[in-house]
Amino acid sequence: MSQFVDDNGTAIPDNKVTALPTKRFFMSMLSRDIALNDAIMDLLDNCIDGIHRQNPNQVENSKEKYKGYFGKITLDKDGFTLTDNCGGIPLKTAKEYAFKMGRSDKYKDDDGLETIGMYGIGMKRAIFKMGMKAEIYSYTKQDAFKVTVPENWESSDDWYFDFETLTKNSIKAKLPTPGTTIHVTALNENIKTQFSDEVGYITDLRIDLEKHYGYIIKQGFQLTVNETPIKALDINILTSERRSKGSISPYFYSDQIGGVKVDVIVGFYRGPATNSEMDQDLEGNLPKRESEKAGITVLCNDRIVLYADRTFLTGWGEFGMPKYHTQFISIAGVAHFRAKNSLELPVTTTKRGLDTSSPVYAEVKNRIKEGIKYFTDFTNKWKSESEERTALFSDLKPIAALSLGHGQSELISATDKKRNDEGIYQLPDLPKPVSIVNNDIRSITFKRHKDQIAAVRDTFIANPNVTPGDVGAWCFDELYKQTI
């Protein structure tokens, strides 16, 4: 008989050492490295994946693929609840897989679906991030049940959760239609504090949910936090209906890289930065709302994993690329990755981060940078406001960039193969200013103290709305008159 025993009191064989996991490890380490908002969004991702499981063909082809489905979040110092009508957890999945600490290789239920779950830890990680006790009610067309995570689970030797079969009549009080309710109580003290902060934390949560689920909400999904609806999200890229040479049109790239379908669009979502905006930026007074959509947004299977990024993650500031600044306030883009196998997507385990080491993303990033370069070069040529520049943006139509690749034909029908690879491209031929075509205009750039500029403006121009750039141009014009 061995003199050594494991945590369960079982004798360890003389020729073995124990490698059994501990509950404390799973409950603390899994939840430590994930932000609270990301944990909540893990649960919402399960809702969306449930919709894909119910209607795989409809979800893949419809522009309103999530219409009729909802997720309702309620939270306060006493607990957290998420209720959805997204089909529920199948009984076999619940009994064998859904509550395990990690996904088994035998799990095949999501094969062939554009879901985003990868490792089978999201629901458990979210529960333990928030509290120590949970009740999960599930109602499918075939079954109804309740799973309980007891408050003392960590201190017990039992690795199972309590399971109870329910009648459909008894569960309809909580779930009138097939779906799931997750109710977490015995909240951790820091979570109680955050859930009590309606103005601070809960407002920030709503903003985060809009950025990550705004596209899905645009397609019909209804999401509320304490009964306040989360808004839909639009990113519209402008294009000329004429699509003639020298007109405003976006950069577009589409390809199938292994098992991943990729669509990229980069262009202008609004007109270029005005002189006033450039001056406001120099003074640190540019309102955040003026640039909130600028940058590149990355989606994986309809979930936004990176919103309006203006960093090296999407190529800004890398070798040969300019750093983002207010001059580029009008440039936006979307890169959408779709795959039947979520492990092929360039997304981290939190599903809210971009895996930049992914070979697929490394290839696509070069296309994103190529697209950005077309439009930063354009703004360099058209820095100054003019009637000519304004006219270019006066008659453009928007393309719903987030929906690209699902029923969108505005660009796909206008593309053709431009390279030797398998990708399909639309390479814009953007207009150049007449002054650049004729090569007879030069820029003059200099800075002076704002009080000096105001003194010249007030003394000679007497118009408080004139920008510093216009003051400089007026000074040059007045001096030039003396040479004529």
Side-chain angles (χ1 to χ4, degrees):
M1 172 73 69
S2 170
Q3 60 178 315
F4 302 104
V5 296
D6 61 25
D7 291 345
N8 297 324
T10 303
I12 301 172
D14 291 338
N15 63 338
K16 304 287 184 181
V17 294
T18 182
L20 291 172
T22 65
K23 289 182 180 179
R24 180 175 293 276
F25 170 79
F26 282 103
M27 295 178 71
S28 62
M29 296 303 293
L30 284 181
S31 60
R32 178 178 297 178
D33 294 331
I34 189 171
L36 177 56
N37 285 7
D38 289 344
I40 292 172
M41 288 189 277
D42 262 349
L43 300 178
L44 282 169
D45 283 335
N46 290 341
C47 302
I48 305 304
D49 288 348
I51 300 171
H52 283 259
R53 293 187 195 102
Q54 284 200 96
N55 306 299
N57 296 324
Q58 176 185 339
V59 164
E60 199 166 325
N61 300 315
S62 172
K63 286 187 178 181
E64 293 186 323
K65 61 184 76 173
Y66 303 108
K67 188 174 183 180
Y69 293 101
F70 66 76
K72 297 178 180 178
I73 294 173
T74 56
L75 48 86
D76 56 29
K77 64 181 178 61
D78 296 319
F80 168 93
T81 302
L82 169 60
T83 298
D84 69 60
N85 67 336
C86 302
I89 305 171
L91 180 60
K92 179 179 174 62
T93 300
K95 294 287 284 186
E96 297 180 358
Y97 303 116
F99 294 93
K100 289 181 70 173
M101 301 294 178
R103 175 170 292 182
S104 167
D105 290 340
K106 296 179 181 179
Y107 182 78
K108 303 294 183 184
D109 289 11
D110 288 351
D111 287 1
L113 300 176
E114 290 186 357
T115 59
I116 202 169
M118 293 182 285
Y119 300 110
I121 58 175
M123 177 171 59
K124 286 77 66 178
R125 180 165 62 177
I127 289 171
F128 295 136
K129 181 72 177 181
M130 290 186 278
M132 301 299 292
K133 181 180 179 181
E135 294 177 332
I136 300 95
Y137 294 85
S138 179
Y139 170 25
T140 69
K141 292 178 180 179
Q142 292 77 30
D143 304 288
F145 60 83
K146 172 186 176 183
V147 172
T148 302
V149 180
E151 190 171 352
N152 65 346
W153 185 75
E154 181 186 358
S155 61
S156 71
D157 295 331
D158 187 2
W159 276 82
Y160 293 93
F161 296 140
D162 297 331
F163 175 87
E164 178 185 353
T165 300
L166 302 176
T167 66
K168 291 186 179 181
N169 288 335
S170 66
I171 202 172
K172 281 186 176 181
K174 282 187 173 292
L175 290 165
T177 57
T180 304
T181 287
I182 298 174
H183 183 51
V184 184
T185 53
L187 297 179
N188 301 322
E189 288 302 318
N190 63 318
I191 304 300
K192 285 183 183 180
T193 301
Q194 289 176 276
F195 284 179
S196 300
D197 186 1
E198 180 75 29
V199 176
Y201 171 75
I202 296 179
T203 297
D204 289 342
L205 173 63
R206 291 186 179 118
I207 292 171
D208 251 8
L209 293 178
E210 180 183 343
K211 289 179 178 178
H212 288 285
Y213 294 92
Y215 171 48
I216 288 173
I217 293 169
K218 179 72 175 176
Q219 297 174 93
F221 189 69
Q222 295 180 325
L223 179 58
T224 59
V225 176
N226 289 354
E227 299 186 354
T228 299
I230 305 301
K231 298 176 182 177
L233 183 66
D234 280 318
I235 298 178
N236 292 319
I237 301 298
L238 302 176
T239 187
S240 170
E241 293 194 68
R242 299 188 304 274
R243 294 223 183 92
S244 57
K245 184 176 180 179
S247 62
I248 300 293
S249 61
Y251 170 94
F252 174 72
Y253 161 76
S254 182
D255 202 358
Q256 182 79 32
I257 305 174
V260 183
K261 176 68 168 64
V262 181
D263 292 296
V264 174
I265 181 172
V266 182
F268 294 118
Y269 76 96
R270 46 152 285 181
T274 64
N275 292 344
S276 175
E277 287 172 329
M278 295 297 289
D279 292 336
Q280 283 180 301
D281 182 54
L282 285 172
E283 297 168 1
N285 296 324
L286 183 67
K288 184 178 180 180
R289 66 177 180 277
E290 298 299 333
S291 62
E292 62 182 9
K293 291 184 180 179
I296 305 300
T297 296
V298 179
L299 297 91
C300 291
N301 283 355
D302 291 352
R303 264 57 67 97
I304 296 174
V305 299
L306 194 63
Y307 177 71
D309 179 77
R310 303 188 279 270
T311 74
F312 70 93
L313 291 174
T314 51
W316 295 95
E318 287 193 340
F319 180 76
M321 294 290 294
K323 289 184 177 180
Y324 176 84
H325 54 81
T326 301
Q327 180 185 318
F328 307 135
I329 196 174
S330 57
I331 300 173
V334 170
H336 203 153
F337 298 80
R338 295 182 178 86
K340 305 293 187 182
N341 181 357
S342 58
L343 291 173
E344 296 187 56
L345 296 170
V347 62
T348 62
T349 60
T350 66
K351 294 174 277 188
R352 236 58 58 188
L354 190 63
D355 180 10
T356 55
S357 66
S358 160
V360 171
Y361 185 70
E363 184 171 342
V364 173
K365 185 178 180 180
N366 288 328
R367 305 284 79 80
I368 295 171
K369 289 162 63 175
E370 180 181 49
I372 291 173
K373 199 69 168 62
Y374 275 97
F375 298 94
T376 56
D377 287 349
F378 176 94
T379 59
N380 283 329
K381 296 182 179 78
W382 294 86
K383 284 184 180 179
S384 300
E385 285 187 78
S386 65
E387 293 183 3
E388 185 184 5
R389 190 182 80 171
T390 301
L392 294 174
F393 289 82
S394 62
D395 188 25
L396 301 178
K397 77 167 189 173
I399 291 174
L402 290 172
S403 300
L404 203 63
H406 272 310
Q408 288 285 326
S409 60
E410 292 96 328
L411 284 175
I412 295 172
S413 63
T415 60
D416 54 18
K417 289 192 174 183
K418 298 287 186 180
R419 311 290 176 85
N420 292 325
D421 62 28
E422 294 299 317
I424 296 176
Y425 299 79
Q426 175 177 282
L427 306 178
D429 183 3
L430 299 172
K432 299 178 178 65
V434 172
S435 58
I436 287 181
V437 174
N438 296 336
N439 199 29
D440 57 2
I441 300 293
R442 299 292 183 271
S443 296
I444 300 174
T445 303
F446 59 91
K447 296 179 181 179
R448 291 293 182 271
H449 194 279
K450 64 180 182 179
D451 293 342
Q452 293 177 308
I453 297 172
V456 172
R457 179 196 64 203
D458 296 342
T459 302
F460 295 101
I461 304 177
N463 183 348
N465 297 318
V466 171
T467 67
D470 291 335
V471 173
W474 181 88
C475 291
F476 180 88
D477 290 343
E478 290 301 306
L479 186 61
Y480 178 71
K481 290 176 184 178
Q482 298 180 29
T483 69
I484 301 175

